[in-house]
Amino acid sequence: MAPKLSESVHGLRAAGNQSFRNGQFSEAATLYSRALQLMKAQGTSDLEEESVLYSNRAACYFKDGNCRDCIKDCTSALALVPFSMKPLLRRASAYEALEKYPLAYVDYKTVLQIDDSVKAALEGINRMTRALMNSLGPEWRLKLPSIPLVPVSAQKRWDSLPSENHKEKAKSKSKETTTSKNKVPSAGDVERARVLKEEGNELVKKGNHKKAIEKYSESLSFSNLESATYSNRALCYLVLKQYKEAVKDCTEALKLDGKNVKALYRRAQAYKALKDYKSSFADISSLLQIEPRNGPAQKLKQEVNQKLN
């Protein structure tokens, strides 16, 4: 049906939104289609508006069980405005409904690169992880399509939240950090912690130690039972010359794994920087009992020994 001359894109979109809220999904889809036709007839070039219309129509298709057209419209929306969260989430849900779990995982994962607090994406990642482990086995990660790297510019678009939202998010993270010490993490929490730790590791490789600390801290808010996460964060603190924090993290790591060589070495380095040479020497000695041929530890022992004599 061709749009009437008196119609406006804004009016059709508003009418579509109202129909959607009323549960009239087929009617809403028709109204969004007319808005898209009108944009084309007018030669209007508004990528944001066009992307939203495709995304909204995709939501209608999904509600009516038409997952294939939902995916098609989400893809059109993302071609116009890459890394928009709503079409990514809607496409992920449609892929999941069609049991295309690897593709759903990629979209959920992409959303979490944009905003790692989106509950629907976190829950989706957990479901997809279980489904992929069951269907593809323990090597399922090797069989995934590549996950696009979200540019910083796209992340910043979603960082411009009202200050109250930032406060609520900060409160939530603080609460998670507190409560994680008092509960046994679920399988989903452990998986989220592992994913966040890997993201931290990638940031370390790129030399972004401050951001890596944030990822490791968030990982620990989900599960504080992995020694390596503490020792990895300790490395970042060492690089940033926050030696007391490095000592604390290494100590936590060693409580979980007394033979964590990296934690012993990094704590020895931190103690040396703090001029606590006796403690540094004790850690190096413990390390060399585990790995007698550890070259960096032998060198550090010589340096600390000179300070003690």
Side-chain angles (χ1 to χ4, degrees):
M1 180 179 175
K4 298 174 185 176
L5 291 174
S6 60
E7 290 178 339
S8 70
V9 172
H10 177 77
L12 287 165
R13 178 182 167 191
N17 293 348
Q18 187 59 52
S19 294
F20 187 90
R21 284 193 289 269
N22 294 338
Q24 299 168 319
F25 306 121
S26 179
E27 181 181 316
T30 299
L31 288 163
Y32 294 136
S33 296
R34 283 163 59 186
L36 285 164
Q37 288 170 7
L38 184 56
M39 287 190 77
K40 186 175 180 181
Q42 293 176 339
T44 306
S45 180
D46 186 336
L47 300 183
E48 290 274 356
E49 180 69 27
E50 191 176 356
S51 178
V52 168
L53 288 168
Y54 275 117
S55 178
N56 287 2
R57 190 172 68 177
C60 300
Y61 289 145
F62 184 75
K63 288 287 188 180
D64 280 338
N66 184 355
C67 292
R68 295 188 187 282
D69 280 340
C70 172
I71 290 167
K72 185 178 177 182
D73 268 8
C74 288
T75 302
S76 295
L78 290 164
L80 293 162
V81 182
F83 305 113
S84 297
M85 282 203 289
K86 284 185 178 180
L88 277 168
L89 283 168
R90 287 165 184 165
R91 190 170 69 178
S93 297
Y95 279 140
E96 183 176 354
L98 293 173
E99 298 185 4
K100 295 185 177 183
Y101 300 135
L103 294 172
Y105 182 93
V106 168
D107 277 351
Y108 284 132
K109 183 71 174 171
T110 304
V111 170
L112 291 176
Q113 287 186 69
I114 299 166
D115 185 343
D116 59 14
S117 68
V118 177
K119 186 178 179 183
L122 289 167
E123 291 175 349
I125 280 286
N126 290 336
R127 290 193 303 273
M128 294 307 93
T129 299
R130 290 193 294 271
L132 288 163
M133 286 182 71
N134 290 335
S135 61
L136 300 179
E139 301 297 316
W140 63 272
R141 290 183 185 280
L142 302 176
K143 302 171 186 177
L144 288 177
S146 61
I147 298 171
L149 183 64
V150 177
V152 175
S153 58
Q155 295 176 39
K156 284 182 178 176
R157 282 195 295 126
W158 305 108
D159 280 343
S160 55
L161 298 167
S163 58
E164 286 302 312
N165 287 1
H166 279 304
K167 287 177 186 175
E168 285 302 313
K169 189 172 174 182
K171 273 187 196 174
S172 173
K173 286 193 178 179
S174 174
K175 187 177 178 184
E176 285 170 355
T177 305
T178 303
T179 55
S180 69
K181 295 181 180 179
N182 302 321
K183 69 173 185 176
V184 176
S186 66
D189 287 339
V190 171
E191 172 59 16
R192 274 179 268 184
R194 188 199 62 74
V195 169
L196 287 162
K197 186 189 82 170
E198 286 185 2
E199 290 177 3
N201 293 347
E202 288 302 313
L203 287 164
V204 168
K205 290 175 185 175
K206 295 174 183 176
N208 193 342
H209 294 92
K210 285 185 179 179
K211 191 69 176 177
I213 286 173
E214 292 177 15
K215 289 293 181 183
Y216 292 136
S217 298
E218 193 170 358
S219 174
L220 290 166
S221 76
F222 286 109
S223 174
N224 59 352
L225 302 178
E226 188 167 351
S227 178
T229 308
Y230 281 108
S231 58
N232 288 4
R233 189 170 67 175
L235 170 63
C236 298
Y237 284 134
L238 274 174
V239 171
L240 297 172
K241 299 183 179 180
Q242 295 175 242
Y243 301 120
K244 290 182 180 179
E245 287 82 359
V247 168
K248 286 178 185 176
D249 268 6
C250 290
T251 301
E252 290 298 324
L254 290 162
K255 285 178 185 176
L256 294 165
D257 178 5
K259 293 186 177 180
N260 185 330
V261 170
K262 288 181 179 178
L264 283 167
Y265 183 71
R266 288 165 187 168
R267 190 168 70 176
Q269 286 180 302
Y271 278 138
K272 178 175 177 276
L274 292 167
K275 299 183 179 180
D276 184 350
Y277 302 120
K278 287 183 180 180
S279 296
S280 180
F281 190 84
D283 276 347
I284 302 166
S285 299
S286 298
L287 189 163
L288 289 170
Q289 286 178 6
I290 301 167
E291 290 187 6
R293 297 183 181 180
N294 187 308
Q298 290 173 344
K299 182 182 178 184
L300 184 59
K301 186 177 181 180
Q302 290 175 354
E303 292 173 359
V304 172
N305 207 19
Q306 287 175 358
K307 296 289 184 181
L308 285 168
N309 293 331

